[in-house]
Amino acid sequence: TKDKGMKALLILSLTFSLTSCDVTAPVGNHWPGGFQSEACFDITTDMHSWSVKLKFDQPIDTLEAFTSTISDTSADKTEYTLTNKAWNGEEHVGDKLCLGFIGHATGDISPVITASLVDVTGGGSFSAAPTASTTRRTQPTQATPQGQTTASLAPGQTTTPPPTMTLPSGEGGVTSQLTISQDWGDRFEASFNFPVTEDIEGWMANITFSKPVSKMDIVVGEAYTHSDDGLHWIVVNKQDRPFYKAGDTVQMKFFGNFNGGGSAPDGVAVFYNLGIDRNFNCDCPANSATSKYNYDCVLKNSIEFYAIQRSGKLPDNNVITWRGDSAVDDHGDGGVDLSGGWYDAGDHVKFNFPMAYSTVILNWGYLEYKDAYDAAGQSDWLLD
């Protein structure tokens, strides 16, 4: 009986250890009135939704979460429950779920934080991007909260930045002046606010500062590139933040670093809707057959549809300026290269039979009516 009891106790103990998903989330930065941290879990079972409970050793007035929704708060404000957003509930074995957050409280605190992945067997392990610190900081200077993107320019940097993006021209740009909310002497918190006058499906901001900025920590966008002197930055939307409706306001909040002392820089940004390509030439070619309908234009538009739907590495003569390389690492069993082809619709799915059918019909039409493609000036584009 004693042995059976010990075995039962052992099994119960193992059960508790398997269902414990607690990790300690270190505080990467803290300053008067706030702190930032990140909790990460190794995913050991497939999930279609998730919840994480944060427990603090002292009350936290408010919490900001970048890639999750705060679904519950205890009355004493020592426990917060974070749940997935509509777009990031899927997690698979081998993934790492990381949640960054900023807390606000009275004074300069560095709380002890325990994070639990709710109702998941197998535990979790912490992988910290921030470095836990007991040193008091006057402002957040090092770590970047989950959901933000950081780009840095080292003092005196002379290396070549990433390739510059072709800036849209003509109408469509919305201008905003920089609004400074905090200035710590070499780091500042600020935002650009862009009123949305038309539906947006992807955006870009071209920023000019009055003095060099060496780093941008951005919530809703990614620092795509910058000039060597740090005066000009290009920011594009994060993959989960491309859509806005007419009447919305795009608030691009960020932290920035600058050198040289004095007050934070002034700045101006021009915001562009990348869902409308105002530079794209939609003009139809001349009707070479002088027929009732301009089939040269139909051919041109049809081929451009396939150019828009391209997947993989795009050629140097790509005329769809808002498209770039995509899904270049698609591989099958044994490392077979599956990149290229066409996406089926407005998503990122490729179907073999529709692609095979399209390829056959396009080639068949060209073989039967090569002279018509030549006359329309579309042969090179089709063969490309």
Side-chain angles (χ1 to χ4, degrees), residues 229-294:
D229 58 12
L231 294 176
H232 305 284
W233 291 71
I234 294 177
V235 173
V236 297
N237 62 273
K238 297 184 76 67
Q239 290 188 354
D240 60 301
R241 308 290 181 95
F243 301 113
Y244 291 89
K245 292 290 187 180
D248 292 344
T249 297
V250 179
Q251 186 179 48
M252 200 185 84
K253 297 177 65 176
F254 65 95
F255 290 97
N257 287 5
F258 66 97
N259 301 317
S263 59
D266 294 326
V268 63
V270 182
F271 179 89
Y272 296 97
N273 180 5
L274 297 183
I276 300 177
D277 189 354
R278 305 179 196 277
N279 293 326
F280 186 64
N281 179 13
C282 295
D283 295 337
C284 285
N287 186 351
S288 61
T290 63
S291 56
K292 179 179 179 180
Y293 301 105
N294 188 349

Short mmCIF file of all heavy atoms in Angstrom, two decimals, residues 229-294:
data_model
loop_
_atom_site.label_atom_id
_atom_site.label_comp_id
_atom_site.label_asym_id
_atom_site.label_seq_id
_atom_site.Cartn_x
_atom_site.Cartn_y
_atom_site.Cartn_z
N ASP A 229 24.14 59.34 -43.56
CA ASP A 229 24.23 60.39 -42.55
C ASP A 229 23.10 60.33 -41.53
O ASP A 229 23.05 61.13 -40.59
CB ASP A 229 24.26 61.77 -43.20
CG ASP A 229 23.04 62.05 -44.08
OD1 ASP A 229 22.06 61.28 -44.02
OD2 ASP A 229 23.09 63.04 -44.84
N GLY A 230 22.16 59.40 -41.68
CA GLY A 230 21.08 59.25 -40.71
C GLY A 230 19.99 60.28 -40.79
O GLY A 230 19.12 60.33 -39.91
N LEU A 231 19.99 61.12 -41.82
CA LEU A 231 18.99 62.17 -41.95
C LEU A 231 17.72 61.70 -42.66
O LEU A 231 16.66 62.29 -42.50
CB LEU A 231 19.56 63.37 -42.69
CG LEU A 231 20.70 64.14 -41.98
CD1 LEU A 231 21.24 65.24 -42.90
CD2 LEU A 231 20.21 64.72 -40.66
N HIS A 232 17.85 60.65 -43.47
CA HIS A 232 16.72 60.18 -44.27
C HIS A 232 16.48 58.69 -44.00
O HIS A 232 17.40 57.87 -44.09
CB HIS A 232 17.00 60.40 -45.76
CG HIS A 232 17.34 61.82 -46.11
ND1 HIS A 232 16.40 62.82 -46.18
CD2 HIS A 232 18.55 62.41 -46.36
CE1 HIS A 232 17.00 63.97 -46.48
NE2 HIS A 232 18.30 63.74 -46.59
N TRP A 233 15.24 58.36 -43.69
CA TRP A 233 14.86 56.99 -43.40
C TRP A 233 13.62 56.62 -44.21
O TRP A 233 12.75 57.45 -44.45
CB TRP A 233 14.53 56.82 -41.91
CG TRP A 233 15.73 56.93 -41.01
CD1 TRP A 233 16.46 58.04 -40.71
CD2 TRP A 233 16.34 55.86 -40.29
NE1 TRP A 233 17.47 57.74 -39.86
CE2 TRP A 233 17.42 56.41 -39.56
CE3 TRP A 233 16.06 54.49 -40.15
CZ2 TRP A 233 18.23 55.63 -38.74
CZ3 TRP A 233 16.86 53.72 -39.34
CH2 TRP A 233 17.93 54.28 -38.64
N ILE A 234 13.56 55.37 -44.64
CA ILE A 234 12.37 54.83 -45.29
C ILE A 234 11.81 53.74 -44.40
O ILE A 234 12.51 52.80 -44.03
CB ILE A 234 12.68 54.28 -46.69
CG1 ILE A 234 13.09 55.43 -47.62
CG2 ILE A 234 11.47 53.54 -47.26
CD1 ILE A 234 13.47 54.99 -49.01
N VAL A 235 10.54 53.87 -44.06
CA VAL A 235 9.85 52.90 -43.21
C VAL A 235 8.69 52.30 -44.00
O VAL A 235 7.96 53.02 -44.68
CB VAL A 235 9.32 53.58 -41.93
CG1 VAL A 235 8.45 52.62 -41.12
CG2 VAL A 235 10.48 54.10 -41.09
N VAL A 236 8.54 50.99 -43.92
CA VAL A 236 7.41 50.30 -44.56
C VAL A 236 6.59 49.60 -43.49
O VAL A 236 7.06 49.37 -42.38
CB VAL A 236 7.89 49.28 -45.62
CG1 VAL A 236 8.62 49.98 -46.75
CG2 VAL A 236 8.78 48.21 -44.99
N ASN A 237 5.36 49.26 -43.83
CA ASN A 237 4.48 48.62 -42.86
C ASN A 237 4.98 47.23 -42.47
O ASN A 237 5.63 46.54 -43.26
CB ASN A 237 3.06 48.49 -43.43
CG ASN A 237 3.00 47.61 -44.67
OD1 ASN A 237 3.20 48.10 -45.78
ND2 ASN A 237 2.72 46.32 -44.50
N LYS A 238 4.70 46.84 -41.24
CA LYS A 238 4.94 45.47 -40.83
C LYS A 238 3.93 44.57 -41.55
O LYS A 238 2.87 45.04 -41.98
CB LYS A 238 4.81 45.30 -39.31
CG LYS A 238 5.84 46.11 -38.53
CD LYS A 238 5.74 45.84 -37.05
CE LYS A 238 6.34 44.50 -36.67
NZ LYS A 238 7.81 44.46 -36.86
N GLN A 239 4.23 43.28 -41.67
CA GLN A 239 3.36 42.39 -42.42
C GLN A 239 1.96 42.32 -41.84
O GLN A 239 0.99 42.08 -42.58
CB GLN A 239 3.97 40.98 -42.46
CG GLN A 239 5.21 40.89 -43.33
CD GLN A 239 5.69 39.47 -43.51
OE1 GLN A 239 5.16 38.54 -42.90
NE2 GLN A 239 6.70 39.28 -44.34
N ASP A 240 1.80 42.53 -40.54
CA ASP A 240 0.48 42.46 -39.92
C ASP A 240 -0.20 43.82 -39.82
O ASP A 240 -1.28 43.93 -39.24
CB ASP A 240 0.58 41.84 -38.53
CG ASP A 240 1.48 42.64 -37.60
OD1 ASP A 240 2.66 42.81 -37.95
OD2 ASP A 240 1.01 43.10 -36.55
N ARG A 241 0.41 44.87 -40.38
CA ARG A 241 -0.17 46.21 -40.27
C ARG A 241 -0.29 46.91 -41.63
O ARG A 241 0.03 48.08 -41.76
CB ARG A 241 0.70 47.09 -39.36
CG ARG A 241 1.02 46.51 -37.98
CD ARG A 241 -0.19 46.45 -37.09
NE ARG A 241 0.17 45.89 -35.79
CZ ARG A 241 0.49 46.60 -34.73
NH1 ARG A 241 0.52 47.92 -34.81
NH2 ARG A 241 0.77 46.02 -33.58
N PRO A 242 -0.76 46.21 -42.70
CA PRO A 242 -0.81 46.90 -43.99
C PRO A 242 -2.13 47.61 -44.28
O PRO A 242 -2.17 48.48 -45.13
CB PRO A 242 -0.61 45.75 -44.99
CG PRO A 242 -1.27 44.57 -44.32
CD PRO A 242 -1.08 44.77 -42.84
N PHE A 243 -3.20 47.23 -43.59
CA PHE A 243 -4.54 47.65 -44.02
C PHE A 243 -5.08 48.78 -43.14
O PHE A 243 -5.07 48.69 -41.90
CB PHE A 243 -5.51 46.47 -43.98
CG PHE A 243 -5.10 45.32 -44.85
CD1 PHE A 243 -4.72 44.12 -44.29
CD2 PHE A 243 -5.08 45.45 -46.23
CE1 PHE A 243 -4.33 43.05 -45.09
CE2 PHE A 243 -4.69 44.40 -47.03
CZ PHE A 243 -4.31 43.20 -46.46
N TYR A 244 -5.58 49.81 -43.81
CA TYR A 244 -6.29 50.89 -43.13
C TYR A 244 -7.45 51.33 -44.02
O TYR A 244 -7.38 51.24 -45.25
CB TYR A 244 -5.37 52.08 -42.86
CG TYR A 244 -4.31 51.80 -41.82
CD1 TYR A 244 -3.07 51.27 -42.18
CD2 TYR A 244 -4.54 52.07 -40.48
CE1 TYR A 244 -2.09 51.01 -41.23
CE2 TYR A 244 -3.57 51.80 -39.52
CZ TYR A 244 -2.35 51.28 -39.90
OH TYR A 244 -1.39 51.01 -38.96
N LYS A 245 -8.51 51.79 -43.39
CA LYS A 245 -9.69 52.25 -44.12
C LYS A 245 -9.71 53.77 -44.18
O LYS A 245 -9.15 54.44 -43.31
CB LYS A 245 -10.97 51.75 -43.44
CG LYS A 245 -11.19 50.24 -43.53
CD LYS A 245 -11.52 49.83 -44.95
CE LYS A 245 -11.90 48.36 -45.02
NZ LYS A 245 -12.23 47.96 -46.42
N ALA A 246 -10.34 54.28 -45.21
CA ALA A 246 -10.51 55.73 -45.31
C ALA A 246 -11.19 56.24 -44.06
O ALA A 246 -12.19 55.69 -43.60
CB ALA A 246 -11.34 56.07 -46.55
N GLY A 247 -10.64 57.30 -43.48
CA GLY A 247 -11.13 57.84 -42.22
C GLY A 247 -10.29 57.45 -41.02
O GLY A 247 -10.40 58.06 -39.95
N ASP A 248 -9.44 56.40 -41.18
CA ASP A 248 -8.52 56.02 -40.10
C ASP A 248 -7.37 57.01 -40.02
O ASP A 248 -7.21 57.89 -40.87
CB ASP A 248 -7.95 54.62 -40.35
CG ASP A 248 -8.99 53.52 -40.23
OD1 ASP A 248 -10.06 53.80 -39.67
OD2 ASP A 248 -8.72 52.40 -40.70
N THR A 249 -6.55 56.85 -39.00
CA THR A 249 -5.29 57.58 -38.86
C THR A 249 -4.18 56.57 -38.61
O THR A 249 -4.30 55.74 -37.71
CB THR A 249 -5.34 58.59 -37.71
OG1 THR A 249 -6.34 59.57 -37.99
CG2 THR A 249 -3.99 59.29 -37.54
N VAL A 250 -3.13 56.62 -39.39
CA VAL A 250 -1.96 55.78 -39.16
C VAL A 250 -1.06 56.53 -38.19
O VAL A 250 -0.48 57.56 -38.53
CB VAL A 250 -1.21 55.49 -40.47
CG1 VAL A 250 0.02 54.62 -40.18
CG2 VAL A 250 -2.13 54.78 -41.46
N GLN A 251 -0.94 56.00 -36.98
CA GLN A 251 -0.07 56.61 -35.97
C GLN A 251 1.22 55.80 -35.92
O GLN A 251 1.24 54.68 -35.43
CB GLN A 251 -0.73 56.64 -34.61
CG GLN A 251 0.10 57.39 -33.56
CD GLN A 251 -0.57 57.43 -32.20
OE1 GLN A 251 -1.03 56.40 -31.71
NE2 GLN A 251 -0.62 58.61 -31.60
N MET A 252 2.29 56.37 -36.44
CA MET A 252 3.58 55.69 -36.48
C MET A 252 4.41 56.13 -35.28
O MET A 252 5.17 57.09 -35.34
CB MET A 252 4.31 55.99 -37.78
CG MET A 252 5.41 54.98 -38.11
SD MET A 252 6.33 55.45 -39.58
CE MET A 252 7.51 56.57 -38.86
N LYS A 253 4.26 55.43 -34.15
CA LYS A 253 4.99 55.74 -32.93
C LYS A 253 6.34 55.03 -32.94
O LYS A 253 6.45 53.90 -33.41
CB LYS A 253 4.18 55.31 -31.70
CG LYS A 253 2.87 56.04 -31.53
CD LYS A 253 2.08 55.51 -30.34
CE LYS A 253 2.79 55.78 -29.04
NZ LYS A 253 1.99 55.35 -27.86
N PHE A 254 7.35 55.68 -32.39
CA PHE A 254 8.68 55.06 -32.36
C PHE A 254 9.55 55.73 -31.29
O PHE A 254 9.27 56.83 -30.82
CB PHE A 254 9.36 55.16 -33.73
CG PHE A 254 9.69 56.56 -34.17
CD1 PHE A 254 10.94 57.11 -33.95
CD2 PHE A 254 8.74 57.34 -34.83
CE1 PHE A 254 11.26 58.40 -34.36
CE2 PHE A 254 9.02 58.63 -35.24
CZ PHE A 254 10.29 59.17 -35.00
N PHE A 255 10.61 55.02 -30.92
CA PHE A 255 11.71 55.58 -30.14
C PHE A 255 12.87 55.81 -31.11
O PHE A 255 13.11 54.99 -32.01
CB PHE A 255 12.16 54.62 -29.03
CG PHE A 255 11.17 54.47 -27.91
CD1 PHE A 255 10.28 53.41 -27.89
CD2 PHE A 255 11.14 55.38 -26.87
CE1 PHE A 255 9.38 53.26 -26.86
CE2 PHE A 255 10.24 55.24 -25.83
CZ PHE A 255 9.35 54.18 -25.83
N GLY A 256 13.60 56.90 -30.93
CA GLY A 256 14.74 57.19 -31.78
C GLY A 256 15.95 57.61 -30.97
O GLY A 256 15.81 58.21 -29.90
N ASN A 257 17.13 57.27 -31.47
CA ASN A 257 18.39 57.71 -30.86
C ASN A 257 19.03 58.76 -31.76
O ASN A 257 18.96 58.66 -33.00
CB ASN A 257 19.37 56.55 -30.71
CG ASN A 257 18.98 55.60 -29.59
OD1 ASN A 257 17.94 55.75 -28.98
ND2 ASN A 257 19.81 54.60 -29.35
N PHE A 258 19.65 59.76 -31.14
CA PHE A 258 20.39 60.76 -31.93
C PHE A 258 21.64 61.16 -31.17
O PHE A 258 21.74 61.00 -29.94
CB PHE A 258 19.50 61.98 -32.23
CG PHE A 258 19.12 62.79 -31.02
CD1 PHE A 258 19.82 63.94 -30.67
CD2 PHE A 258 18.06 62.40 -30.21
CE1 PHE A 258 19.47 64.69 -29.57
CE2 PHE A 258 17.69 63.15 -29.10
CZ PHE A 258 18.40 64.30 -28.77
N ASN A 259 22.61 61.66 -31.90
CA ASN A 259 23.90 62.04 -31.32
C ASN A 259 24.05 63.56 -31.34
O ASN A 259 23.35 64.27 -32.06
CB ASN A 259 25.05 61.39 -32.10
CG ASN A 259 24.96 59.88 -32.09
OD1 ASN A 259 24.67 59.27 -31.08
ND2 ASN A 259 25.21 59.26 -33.25
N GLY A 260 24.98 64.03 -30.53
CA GLY A 260 25.31 65.45 -30.58
C GLY A 260 24.67 66.28 -29.49
O GLY A 260 24.94 67.49 -29.38
N GLY A 261 23.81 65.68 -28.65
CA GLY A 261 23.20 66.43 -27.57
C GLY A 261 22.16 67.41 -28.06
O GLY A 261 21.76 67.43 -29.22
N GLY A 262 21.72 68.25 -27.15
CA GLY A 262 20.68 69.22 -27.50
C GLY A 262 19.31 68.56 -27.51
O GLY A 262 19.11 67.46 -27.00
N SER A 263 18.37 69.26 -28.10
CA SER A 263 17.00 68.77 -28.13
C SER A 263 16.82 67.75 -29.25
O SER A 263 17.64 67.64 -30.16
CB SER A 263 16.02 69.94 -28.33
OG SER A 263 16.31 70.62 -29.53
N ALA A 264 15.74 67.00 -29.17
CA ALA A 264 15.43 65.99 -30.18
C ALA A 264 15.23 66.66 -31.54
O ALA A 264 14.87 67.84 -31.62
CB ALA A 264 14.17 65.23 -29.78
N PRO A 265 15.46 65.93 -32.62
CA PRO A 265 15.37 66.54 -33.95
C PRO A 265 13.94 66.85 -34.35
O PRO A 265 12.99 66.25 -33.84
CB PRO A 265 15.96 65.45 -34.86
CG PRO A 265 15.71 64.18 -34.14
CD PRO A 265 15.86 64.51 -32.68
N ASP A 266 13.81 67.80 -35.24
CA ASP A 266 12.55 67.99 -35.95
C ASP A 266 12.50 66.98 -37.08
O ASP A 266 13.51 66.39 -37.45
CB ASP A 266 12.45 69.40 -36.52
CG ASP A 266 12.38 70.46 -35.41
OD1 ASP A 266 11.79 70.16 -34.36
OD2 ASP A 266 12.94 71.56 -35.62
N GLY A 267 11.31 66.79 -37.63
CA GLY A 267 11.21 65.84 -38.73
C GLY A 267 9.93 66.01 -39.50
O GLY A 267 8.94 66.57 -39.01
N VAL A 268 9.95 65.55 -40.73
CA VAL A 268 8.76 65.54 -41.58
C VAL A 268 8.76 64.23 -42.35
O VAL A 268 9.83 63.71 -42.70
CB VAL A 268 8.75 66.76 -42.53
CG1 VAL A 268 9.93 66.71 -43.49
CG2 VAL A 268 7.44 66.84 -43.30
N ALA A 269 7.59 63.68 -42.56
CA ALA A 269 7.47 62.42 -43.29
C ALA A 269 6.38 62.53 -44.34
O ALA A 269 5.37 63.21 -44.14
CB ALA A 269 7.15 61.28 -42.33
N VAL A 270 6.62 61.87 -45.46
CA VAL A 270 5.62 61.78 -46.53
C VAL A 270 5.17 60.33 -46.61
O VAL A 270 5.98 59.42 -46.75
CB VAL A 270 6.17 62.26 -47.88
CG1 VAL A 270 5.08 62.21 -48.95
CG2 VAL A 270 6.72 63.67 -47.76
N PHE A 271 3.88 60.13 -46.49
CA PHE A 271 3.27 58.80 -46.39
C PHE A 271 2.64 58.44 -47.74
O PHE A 271 1.93 59.23 -48.35
CB PHE A 271 2.20 58.84 -45.30
CG PHE A 271 1.46 57.56 -45.09
CD1 PHE A 271 1.93 56.62 -44.19
CD2 PHE A 271 0.27 57.31 -45.75
CE1 PHE A 271 1.23 55.44 -43.97
CE2 PHE A 271 -0.43 56.14 -45.54
CZ PHE A 271 0.05 55.20 -44.64
N TYR A 272 2.91 57.21 -48.21
CA TYR A 272 2.41 56.77 -49.51
C TYR A 272 1.60 55.48 -49.36
O TYR A 272 1.97 54.58 -48.61
CB TYR A 272 3.56 56.51 -50.48
CG TYR A 272 4.37 57.73 -50.82
CD1 TYR A 272 5.57 57.98 -50.15
CD2 TYR A 272 3.96 58.63 -51.79
CE1 TYR A 272 6.33 59.10 -50.45
CE2 TYR A 272 4.72 59.75 -52.10
CZ TYR A 272 5.90 59.98 -51.44
OH TYR A 272 6.64 61.08 -51.74
N ASN A 273 0.50 55.42 -50.08
CA ASN A 273 -0.32 54.21 -50.18
C ASN A 273 0.27 53.33 -51.27
O ASN A 273 0.16 53.64 -52.46
CB ASN A 273 -1.77 54.59 -50.51
CG ASN A 273 -2.67 53.37 -50.64
OD1 ASN A 273 -2.25 52.24 -50.40
ND2 ASN A 273 -3.91 53.62 -51.01
N LEU A 274 0.89 52.22 -50.88
CA LEU A 274 1.51 51.34 -51.87
C LEU A 274 0.50 50.42 -52.55
O LEU A 274 0.86 49.68 -53.46
CB LEU A 274 2.61 50.51 -51.21
CG LEU A 274 3.79 51.29 -50.64
CD1 LEU A 274 4.85 50.35 -50.09
CD2 LEU A 274 4.40 52.22 -51.69
N GLY A 275 -0.74 50.45 -52.08
CA GLY A 275 -1.77 49.64 -52.73
C GLY A 275 -2.23 50.21 -54.05
O GLY A 275 -2.93 49.55 -54.81
N ILE A 276 -1.86 51.46 -54.31
CA ILE A 276 -2.16 52.10 -55.60
C ILE A 276 -0.85 52.53 -56.23
O ILE A 276 -0.15 53.39 -55.70
CB ILE A 276 -3.09 53.33 -55.42
CG1 ILE A 276 -4.41 52.91 -54.78
CG2 ILE A 276 -3.33 54.02 -56.75
CD1 ILE A 276 -5.35 54.07 -54.51
N ASP A 277 -0.50 51.91 -57.31
CA ASP A 277 0.76 52.22 -57.99
C ASP A 277 0.52 53.35 -58.98
O ASP A 277 0.10 53.13 -60.11
CB ASP A 277 1.29 50.98 -58.71
CG ASP A 277 2.70 51.18 -59.25
OD1 ASP A 277 3.19 52.32 -59.16
OD2 ASP A 277 3.29 50.23 -59.76
N ARG A 278 0.80 54.57 -58.56
CA ARG A 278 0.53 55.74 -59.41
C ARG A 278 1.58 55.91 -60.49
O ARG A 278 1.42 56.74 -61.39
CB ARG A 278 0.43 56.99 -58.53
CG ARG A 278 -0.60 56.84 -57.41
CD ARG A 278 -0.67 58.07 -56.53
NE ARG A 278 -1.35 57.77 -55.28
CZ ARG A 278 -2.67 57.76 -55.12
NH1 ARG A 278 -3.44 58.05 -56.15
NH2 ARG A 278 -3.21 57.47 -53.96
N ASN A 279 2.67 55.14 -60.38
CA ASN A 279 3.69 55.23 -61.42
C ASN A 279 3.49 54.21 -62.53
O ASN A 279 4.16 54.25 -63.55
CB ASN A 279 5.08 55.02 -60.81
CG ASN A 279 5.46 56.14 -59.87
OD1 ASN A 279 5.10 57.28 -60.11
ND2 ASN A 279 6.19 55.81 -58.82
N PHE A 280 2.59 53.25 -62.30
CA PHE A 280 2.45 52.16 -63.26
C PHE A 280 1.76 52.65 -64.53
O PHE A 280 0.75 53.35 -64.48
CB PHE A 280 1.65 51.02 -62.63
CG PHE A 280 1.58 49.80 -63.49
CD1 PHE A 280 2.73 49.09 -63.80
CD2 PHE A 280 0.37 49.36 -64.00
CE1 PHE A 280 2.67 47.97 -64.58
CE2 PHE A 280 0.31 48.24 -64.79
CZ PHE A 280 1.45 47.53 -65.08
N ASN A 281 2.30 52.25 -65.65
CA ASN A 281 1.77 52.67 -66.94
C ASN A 281 0.65 51.74 -67.37
O ASN A 281 0.90 50.59 -67.76
CB ASN A 281 2.89 52.69 -67.99
CG ASN A 281 2.39 53.10 -69.35
OD1 ASN A 281 1.28 53.62 -69.49
ND2 ASN A 281 3.21 52.87 -70.37
N CYS A 282 -0.58 52.22 -67.27
CA CYS A 282 -1.73 51.41 -67.67
C CYS A 282 -2.19 51.72 -69.09
O CYS A 282 -3.26 51.26 -69.52
CB CYS A 282 -2.89 51.64 -66.70
SG CYS A 282 -2.55 51.08 -65.02
N ASP A 283 -1.42 52.53 -69.81
CA ASP A 283 -1.81 52.89 -71.16
C ASP A 283 -1.80 51.67 -72.07
O ASP A 283 -0.95 50.78 -71.95
CB ASP A 283 -0.88 53.95 -71.74
CG ASP A 283 -0.97 55.26 -70.97
OD1 ASP A 283 -2.01 55.48 -70.34
OD2 ASP A 283 0.02 56.03 -71.02
N CYS A 284 -2.75 51.61 -72.96
CA CYS A 284 -2.83 50.51 -73.91
C CYS A 284 -1.98 50.82 -75.14
O CYS A 284 -1.87 51.97 -75.58
CB CYS A 284 -4.28 50.29 -74.34
SG CYS A 284 -5.28 49.47 -73.08
N PRO A 285 -1.37 49.79 -75.75
CA PRO A 285 -0.65 50.00 -77.01
C PRO A 285 -1.63 50.31 -78.14
O PRO A 285 -2.84 50.07 -78.01
CB PRO A 285 0.06 48.66 -77.23
CG PRO A 285 -0.76 47.65 -76.50
CD PRO A 285 -1.31 48.38 -75.30
N ALA A 286 -1.10 50.82 -79.20
CA ALA A 286 -1.95 51.13 -80.35
C ALA A 286 -2.57 49.85 -80.90
O ALA A 286 -1.99 48.76 -80.82
CB ALA A 286 -1.12 51.82 -81.44
N ASN A 287 -3.76 49.99 -81.45
CA ASN A 287 -4.48 48.85 -82.02
C ASN A 287 -3.88 48.52 -83.39
O ASN A 287 -4.22 49.11 -84.40
CB ASN A 287 -5.96 49.21 -82.16
CG ASN A 287 -6.81 48.04 -82.62
OD1 ASN A 287 -6.28 46.99 -82.99
ND2 ASN A 287 -8.12 48.23 -82.61
N SER A 288 -2.94 47.56 -83.42
CA SER A 288 -2.20 47.27 -84.65
C SER A 288 -3.09 46.71 -85.74
O SER A 288 -2.80 46.86 -86.93
CB SER A 288 -1.06 46.28 -84.35
OG SER A 288 -1.57 45.06 -83.85
N ALA A 289 -4.20 46.05 -85.37
CA ALA A 289 -5.08 45.44 -86.37
C ALA A 289 -6.21 46.38 -86.78
O ALA A 289 -7.00 46.03 -87.67
CB ALA A 289 -5.67 44.15 -85.83
N THR A 290 -6.28 47.55 -86.15
CA THR A 290 -7.37 48.51 -86.39
C THR A 290 -8.74 47.82 -86.35
O THR A 290 -9.63 48.11 -87.15
CB THR A 290 -7.19 49.22 -87.76
OG1 THR A 290 -7.27 48.24 -88.81
CG2 THR A 290 -5.87 49.97 -87.81
N SER A 291 -8.87 46.87 -85.42
CA SER A 291 -10.13 46.13 -85.27
C SER A 291 -11.07 46.92 -84.37
O SER A 291 -10.71 47.95 -83.79
CB SER A 291 -9.86 44.75 -84.70
OG SER A 291 -9.16 44.85 -83.48
N LYS A 292 -12.30 46.40 -84.23
CA LYS A 292 -13.29 47.07 -83.42
C LYS A 292 -12.83 47.17 -81.97
O LYS A 292 -13.04 48.18 -81.30
CB LYS A 292 -14.63 46.34 -83.51
CG LYS A 292 -15.74 46.97 -82.66
CD LYS A 292 -17.05 46.22 -82.81
CE LYS A 292 -18.14 46.85 -81.94
NZ LYS A 292 -19.44 46.12 -82.08
N TYR A 293 -12.22 46.09 -81.48
CA TYR A 293 -11.71 46.06 -80.11
C TYR A 293 -10.19 45.98 -80.14
O TYR A 293 -9.61 45.35 -81.03
CB TYR A 293 -12.27 44.86 -79.35
CG TYR A 293 -13.79 44.85 -79.28
CD1 TYR A 293 -14.53 43.98 -80.07
CD2 TYR A 293 -14.46 45.72 -78.43
CE1 TYR A 293 -15.91 43.98 -80.01
CE2 TYR A 293 -15.85 45.73 -78.36
CZ TYR A 293 -16.57 44.86 -79.16
OH TYR A 293 -17.94 44.87 -79.10
N ASN A 294 -9.58 46.62 -79.18
CA ASN A 294 -8.12 46.67 -79.13
C ASN A 294 -7.59 45.43 -78.40
O ASN A 294 -7.38 45.43 -77.19
CB ASN A 294 -7.66 47.94 -78.41
CG ASN A 294 -6.16 48.13 -78.50
OD1 ASN A 294 -5.42 47.24 -78.91
ND2 ASN A 294 -5.69 49.31 -78.10
#
